[in-house]
Amino acid sequence: MKKEIDKDFKKKILITLIVASAIALALFIVFIPLAVMGKVPNGIVRYLAFVATLVLIWIPYIFLLFKIRYDYVSLIVYLVFIFLASLVGCGWSVYQNVSWYDIIIHFSSGVVAGFIFYTIFSENSKSKLGYFWLFLFIVSFGMFCGGVWEIYEFLGDSIAGLDMQLTAGFVGHKAVVDTMIDIICDFGGSLVAAVACMFLERSKRKKTEIESGIVAEGENKN
């Protein structure tokens, strides 16, 4: 049976998510008149970005309902990334105005997803995975998140007639370049996260071994 999550921690998370939602709504309220006046690009994709941001903000709370533990730093990193990727990048059209922004976000998504997976696994699992399997799972999770996003973009383009995959006017190889670059960046970020997490896990296990040795030594003396 999973341990109950501290009520103060739940309260802290809830307040943080409410504040994040309020900021997202405030930016949406500012966006509407600017879009109407033509000061910023308008369109359904912008509004979908704001809706997606609000939905994604509350996913960490669903985790708490299922007693899935994580740390507060991971939550803040996740929220900052969601704002930069969905609300700023898509809602405020930074992807279209800054050519390298999409690459940075996709690479970062692999890093963030990998570290979040590692944090959740470390907080909730009592078993130890071998380094190879842990590395593989971290990379796979990063790629999974990237893949889900590409599916979201594809469905937006196919169903709503958008151009989230930036393929308008292209055919053949050029039509899939944006998607493939995104996937490669996701993979690169996931690899970076996996390598870094291996060092963290190695350090954590060494610390545990040392502490266990000290405890055993103390018991032997007694």
Side-chain angles (χ1 to χ4, degrees):
M1 184 176 180
K2 292 183 178 179
K3 292 182 179 178
E4 288 292 332
I5 297 174
D6 183 77
K7 290 183 179 180
D8 289 336
F9 182 73
K10 280 185 178 179
K11 184 178 179 181
K12 185 178 181 181
I13 295 297
L14 183 59
I15 292 172
T16 302
L17 297 182
I18 290 173
V19 170
S21 298
I23 293 172
L25 285 171
L27 289 173
F28 181 53
I29 291 171
V30 171
F31 172 83
I32 293 174
L34 291 175
V36 171
M37 292 186 292
K39 300 294 184 180
V40 294
N42 202 350
I44 188 173
V45 67
R46 321 296 172 203
Y47 299 101
L48 285 175
F50 285 103
V51 173
T53 300
L54 287 172
V55 171
L56 292 170
I57 282 173
W58 286 94
I59 288 179
Y61 192 74
I62 295 175
F63 279 26
L64 289 184
L65 295 179
F66 285 94
K67 299 179 182 179
I68 299 175
R69 310 171 78 87
Y70 51 85
D71 59 48
Y72 190 71
V73 174
S74 295
L75 174 70
I76 297 301
V77 170
Y78 169 79
L79 291 176
V80 170
F81 176 78
I82 291 303
F83 270 78
L84 292 177
S86 183
L87 197 148
V88 174
C90 195
W92 287 88
S93 305
V94 177
Y95 288 131
Q96 284 73 26
N97 298 322
V98 182
S99 60
W100 47 264
Y101 191 78
D102 188 45
I103 293 175
I104 296 299
I105 288 296
H106 274 279
F107 182 84
S108 299
S109 74
V111 176
V112 172
F115 273 107
I116 287 177
F117 173 85
Y118 173 72
T119 299
I120 292 176
F121 176 80
S122 299
E123 291 283 339
N124 295 276
S125 179
K126 294 181 180 179
S127 60
K128 286 185 179 180
L129 282 176
Y131 288 113
F132 171 78
W133 290 108
L134 184 57
F135 183 92
L136 184 62
F137 283 138
I138 291 172
V139 173
S140 298
F141 184 74
M143 291 298 294
F144 167 77
C145 292
V148 169
W149 181 260
E150 293 305 320
I151 292 172
Y152 165 71
E153 287 188 343
F154 173 77
L155 291 176
D157 293 351
S158 302
I159 297 173
L162 307 175
D163 188 33
M164 299 172 72
Q165 293 180 297
L166 305 178
T167 59
F170 296 110
V171 294
H173 175 72
K174 289 184 178 180
V176 297
V177 167
D178 177 74
T179 298
M180 292 311 301
I181 290 176
D182 291 347
I183 291 174
I184 291 170
C185 290
D186 294 332
F187 180 62
S190 301
L191 283 177
V192 170
V195 171
C197 288
M198 290 305 98
F199 285 103
L200 291 174
E201 182 66 13
R202 185 167 178 267
S203 176
K204 178 183 174 182
R205 293 185 184 185
K206 277 190 174 183
K207 183 179 178 181
T208 301
E209 289 174 1
I210 292 172
E211 290 175 350
S212 299
I214 293 173
V215 171
E217 186 179 341
E219 290 177 349
N220 291 333
K221 288 182 178 179
N222 293 333

